Every structure is written in structure tokens, then in C-alpha cells.
């Protein structure tokens, strides 16, 4: 258990203005730019994947670049609407019921990854059916690029000084302005590294090294399982939302763990399903 002396002696939070720049009365926040960067880089990477026929079943891409250009609007709406609604229902419902206008106050809590995932999944299913695109292949191409958004989103969380970690005395601990005078784990950076960089590299290795996109659904399973394991691991270092706290005991089981645990089983099922389907086609 870290001592009070240690907790008060570790480095302060870097002085980074949450507002990247202003145009007249319009303030552009790093958080908004993070969403834009994640979507645009993911879109660019997805277009490269779609243009490479050799990566796909039968050496034919299941989606055109034009269709991807159309889908980016659907994906953005799914992420934003699903992310906000997910946060409200999973983390902040009592407060919103007391004051419905709070639902529009994105600075009060922000977004939920699990809600954004649900919203994007619905958008993918509807878009795939309307455009005759194999659903699992669309899932795969989106799963491959999502780590871009996760990386930039967590970096923006760090800049905003939000979603910080538990008390610690590790040398890289940070004293966040909104976290009291105590040093905490920079858990946002842990998530940026695991859910963003590591997961992106693992998926890229599977796509280009093992041609995993030829087994529709496998990449989706790896992403879902990989995200869930990363999130559960980081939850041991991340401070739970104040309005929820720990769901079991004094330092055990958070809402992030509860929402992520079923994803492990879902991811494993998707991988096994993909392998069985591929074996039947041999």
C-alpha cells in the first residue's frame, strides 16, 4: 500500500490544455479531434484492405472503396450515438432520470466503448444487408481498424485528465488535477497501449501474415476477445466511476469488467465459428 509521503511526492499532471485551438468563439477540443483522427485513419486503412483482393475469400474483396466511403457516416453515427447512450444506461442512468438534460452534457461522463460497439454493430448489420455485403467480412474490416480510435480516444482521456487510475507509488504515476493531491496510475495510457497499439499490431499480423480475413469472423473474434482481456486487465489499475464504485467488495469488480467478460466468450465463439466454416469449404 503506497504511503502518504510517496503519494504526495510523484510528478504532477502535464499542463496540456484540453482545447487544441479556437476559431473565434468556437473551441476545438482534443477529445473531438481524437474521434476525427481515429475515424479518418481507420477509414484510410480500411480502404487499403478493401483494395487488396488477395486478402479476402476467393481473392475478391467483399466491399468497394465507394461503399466504404458511404459507410463512414454510418460508423460515425453508430459510435457517437451508441457511445453516449451506452454511457447513460451503463453508468449514469439515475442522474439522467433526475435531470434529462444531462443526457446532452457529454462533458459529464462522455462515452462508453461498449455502447459505441453496440451502436456500430447495428449500423454494420443494417448497412451490410442494404448493400449486399457479407456481414462477417464487414465486421472484420471494421474490427481491424477500430484500434486507431481506441488509441486516440485514450490519449484524449489522458489530456483531459479523466478516467484516471487508482492510487499508486510507481515511478511513472501522475497527479491528475481532478484526482486530488495523490499520485495515480495513468491508466488511460495503459489502455492506449494495449487496446490501441498492441491490438492493432496483432490484428495486422493476422491479416497480412496469416491471411485471416479469408476466414470471415476470425479477426472479429480476435478483436472482441483481445479488447475484453485488455480492458479487464487495465480495470485493476483504473479508478471506477465515482457514481458506481466497486460492484463487489472494496476494490474488486467494476462495471468495465462486467461488460467485458461476456465479450471473451463471444470472441472465442466467433473464432471457432470462423474456423469451422473455413474447414467446411475445403
Amino acid at each position: 500500500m503506497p504511503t502518504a509521503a510517496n503519494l504526495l511526492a510523484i510528478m504532477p499532471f502535464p499542463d496540456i490544455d484540453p482545447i487544441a485551438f479556437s476559431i473565434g468563439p468556437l473551441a476545438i477540443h482534443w477529445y473531438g479531434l481524437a474521434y476525427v483522427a481515429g475515424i479518418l485513419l481507420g477509414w484510410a486503412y480500411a480502404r487499403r484492405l478493401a483494395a487488396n483482393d488477395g486478402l479476402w475469400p476467393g481473392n475478391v474483396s467483399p466491399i468497394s472503396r465507394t461503399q466504404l466511403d458511404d459507410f463512414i457516416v454510418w460508423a460515425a453515427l453508430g459510435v457517437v450515438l451508441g457511445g453516449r447512450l451506452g454511457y447513460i444506461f451503463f453508468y449514469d442512468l439515475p442522474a439522467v432520470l433526475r435531470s434529462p438534460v444531462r443526457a446532452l452534457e457529454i462533458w459529464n461522463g462522455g462515452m462508453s466503448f461498449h455502447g459505441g460497439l453496440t451502436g456500430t454493430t447495428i449500423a454494420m448489420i443494417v448497412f451490410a444487408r442494404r448493400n449486399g455485403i457479407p456481414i462477417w467480412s464487414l465486421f472484420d474490416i471494421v474490427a481491424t481498424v477500430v484500434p486507431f480510435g481506441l488509441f486516440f480516444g485514450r490519449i484524449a482521456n489522458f489530456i483531459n485528465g479523466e478516467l484516471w487510475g487508482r492510487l499508486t507509488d510507481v515511478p511513472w504515476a501522475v497527479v491528475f488535477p481532478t484526482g486530488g493531491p495523490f499520485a495515480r496510475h495513468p491508466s488511460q495510457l495503459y489502455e492506449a497501449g494495449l487496446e490501441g497499439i498492441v491490438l492493432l499490431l496483432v490484428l495486422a499480423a493476422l491479416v497480412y501474415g496469416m491471411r485471416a480475413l479469408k476466414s470471415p469472423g476470425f479477426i472479429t473474434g480476435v478483436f472482441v476477445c483481445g479488447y475484453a482481456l485488455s480492458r479487464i486487465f487495465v480495470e485493476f489499475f483504473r479508478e471506477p466511476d465515482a457514481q458506481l464504485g466497486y460492484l463487489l467488495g472494496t476494490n474488486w469488480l467494476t462495471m468495465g469488467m462486467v461488460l467485458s467478460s461476456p465479450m471473451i466468450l463471444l470472441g472465442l465463439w466467433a473464432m471457432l465459428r470462423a474456423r469451422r466454416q473455413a474447414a467446411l469449404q475445403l
Side-chain angles (χ1 to χ4, degrees):
M1 183 69 181
T3 66
N6 286 336
L7 292 175
L8 291 170
I10 304 179
M11 66 178 180
F13 177 71
D15 186 16
I16 304 174
D17 192 338
I19 298 177
F21 59 90
S22 298
I23 304 175
L26 180 63
I28 308 299
H29 290 251
W30 287 111
Y31 195 75
L33 292 177
Y35 269 84
V36 173
I39 290 173
L40 291 181
L41 283 175
W43 166 68
Y45 186 23
R47 292 182 98 241
R48 288 191 61 182
L49 295 174
N52 191 338
D53 289 334
L55 296 176
W56 301 95
N59 294 321
V60 177
S61 175
I63 187 170
S64 69
R65 286 185 169 185
T66 300
Q67 288 172 322
L68 274 175
D69 294 346
D70 293 337
F71 176 67
I72 192 173
V73 177
W74 291 64
L77 289 173
V79 169
V80 174
L81 294 178
R84 185 56 186 161
L85 289 173
Y87 184 84
I88 291 170
F89 285 110
F90 298 144
Y91 298 96
D92 208 30
L93 186 57
V96 172
L97 290 177
R98 288 193 300 270
S99 177
V101 72
R102 185 180 173 90
L104 303 177
E105 299 174 353
I106 60 173
W107 54 90
N108 276 327
M111 313 285 278
S112 158
F113 168 80
H114 298 90
L117 176 64
T118 302
T120 306
T121 299
I122 294 171
M124 285 188 287
I125 292 172
V126 175
F127 185 85
R129 288 181 174 174
R130 290 186 60 175
N131 291 272
I133 299 169
I135 290 178
W136 282 105
S137 289
L138 183 57
F139 284 173
D140 284 345
I141 201 169
V142 172
T144 306
V145 306
V146 166
F148 282 110
L150 293 173
F151 173 78
F152 285 107
R154 295 311 182 191
I155 294 298
N157 290 147
F158 179 77
I159 292 174
N160 287 346
E162 60 192 6
L163 304 184
W164 21 256
R166 305 185 193 186
L167 303 183
T168 183
D169 59 356
V170 296
W172 56 87
V174 175
V175 177
F176 292 94
T178 56
F182 304 112
R184 298 177 177 276
H185 282 286
S187 55
Q188 314 97 320
L189 301 185
Y190 301 170
E191 290 192 76
L194 288 174
E195 302 165 8
I197 297 173
V198 172
L199 198 49
L200 178 69
L201 294 177
V202 168
L203 294 174
L206 291 172
V207 168
Y208 289 102
M210 299 181 61
R211 293 295 193 264
L213 289 174
K214 290 183 177 289
S215 300
F218 188 80
I219 286 292
T220 299
V222 173
F223 167 75
V224 171
C225 196
Y227 172 84
L229 290 172
S230 299
R231 178 64 181 271
I232 290 172
F233 174 75
V234 175
E235 286 289 313
F236 285 100
F237 304 94
R238 175 174 165 175
E239 188 80 6
D241 291 75
Q243 69 273 24
L244 292 179
Y246 295 103
L247 304 183
L248 186 63
T250 58
N251 61 355
W252 167 244
L253 194 63
T254 64
M255 180 60 77
M257 292 178 178
V258 170
L259 296 175
S260 297
S261 295
M263 293 176 64
I264 298 175
L265 297 177
L266 183 61
L268 291 173
W269 170 80
M271 286 187 278
L272 291 173
R273 176 207 158 275
R275 287 306 188 199
R276 284 199 300 268
Q277 291 296 116
L280 291 175
Q281 295 173 6
L282 294 178

